[in-house]
Amino acid sequence: MYKNKLNQIKSLLSMEVKLAQMKLEDGITIVEAESFEPDFSIGIVTPDGIVPMPVGEYKTEDGKIVIVEVEGIIKEVKDAEEAPMPEEAPMPEAEVEVEIEAEIQPKRIVESVSKETFFAEIEKLRAEFSAIKSENEDLKAKLELASQNEEGAEAIVMNPENKIEVSGFKFSKNKTKSIQDSVYSKMFN
């Protein structure tokens, strides 16, 4: 317990604490502790950080058994020959690591598929661009040819039949005549 408190004090004082890492028997799960001795804190390394190790017995790759009775604190470390670990005891942190690895795998697949579709779309756009560019060049060539042959081009002339003459404009057709209107009509006509 005193070593654990000393580690906490060192970390609070920002002293450098070197951590040791070991893999569990499954070969995937990595555990980390300052030292693999009793009363030191221990945790499981995940992509999100270090998670305190749950209560249980865990076998490492080098054949040691780590016993955790309080979450995140090593109670005892012993060799595998001293006390064989029961085969039926599930290792919950191994399942967590496997699930994390399973989540990473589909993410990589989705990422590669999205990149493939992205590059396929870019290739389609490049092909369309080159087709439009060649069509544009053809139209420019035709325009130059037409401008050189002015005889083939006819001038646009306005049709004279479309003219409409406006004669006399009335402001109001259906207006009733007043006395003033009748006087004005006699004066100006």
Side-chain angles (χ1 to χ4, degrees):
M1 277 314 231
Y2 295 111
K3 291 178 185 177
N4 192 26
K5 299 264 186 206
L6 182 62
N7 291 337
Q8 289 176 350
I9 292 171
K10 284 181 183 178
S11 65
L12 289 174
L13 294 175
S14 300
M15 295 179 73
E16 189 174 320
V17 179
K18 295 185 180 184
L19 301 175
Q21 291 187 345
M22 282 187 155
K23 285 189 177 182
L24 293 182
E25 189 177 36
D26 64 359
I28 297 172
T29 309
I30 300 173
V31 292
E32 189 172 71
E34 184 176 340
S35 178
F36 288 95
E37 296 175 5
D39 297 329
F40 278 95
S41 61
I42 186 169
I44 302 169
V45 179
T46 64
D48 298 330
I50 299 174
V51 177
M53 191 135 181
V55 177
E57 292 184 8
Y58 304 96
K59 190 172 185 181
T60 61
E61 278 187 337
D62 61 350
K64 293 184 180 179
I65 296 177
V66 178
I67 300 171
V68 178
E69 281 192 358
V70 177
E71 187 174 287
I73 306 293
I74 300 173
K75 181 184 184 225
E76 185 179 353
V77 178
K78 53 187 172 180
D79 290 330
E81 295 94 34
E82 292 179 13
M85 193 169 114
E87 292 294 322
E88 298 174 359
M91 290 188 282
E93 71 282 345
E95 292 174 10
V96 170
E97 256 332 286
V98 170
E99 288 177 14
I100 291 171
E101 289 295 323
E103 289 176 11
I104 292 172
Q105 182 88 12
K107 192 180 228 183
R108 288 182 184 157
I109 291 171
V110 168
E111 183 179 331
S112 66
V113 168
S114 65
K115 283 183 181 178
E116 287 174 10
T117 56
F118 175 73
F119 288 119
E121 288 296 319
I122 287 178
E123 289 301 318
K124 285 180 186 176
L125 290 174
R126 284 183 181 163
E128 285 181 37
F129 178 72
S130 63
I132 290 172
K133 193 173 182 180
S134 64
E135 184 180 337
N136 188 20
E137 289 173 2
D138 292 341
L139 291 174
K140 281 183 182 179
K142 286 181 183 178
L143 181 63
E144 284 181 26
L145 185 61
S147 66
Q148 290 174 357
N149 296 333
E150 291 182 14
E151 296 172 3
E154 296 179 13
I156 300 173
V157 180
M158 190 171 136
N159 188 353
E161 296 175 3
N162 289 339
K163 286 187 177 180
I164 301 173
E165 289 187 30
V166 178
S167 61
F169 182 75
K170 295 185 178 181
F171 286 101
S172 60
K173 275 184 171 180
N174 300 329
K175 183 178 175 188
T176 57
K177 285 190 170 184
S178 65
I179 298 172
Q180 185 181 10
D181 290 335
S182 58
V183 170
Y184 280 142
S185 66
K186 287 183 182 181
M187 278 176 51
F188 294 118
N189 287 337

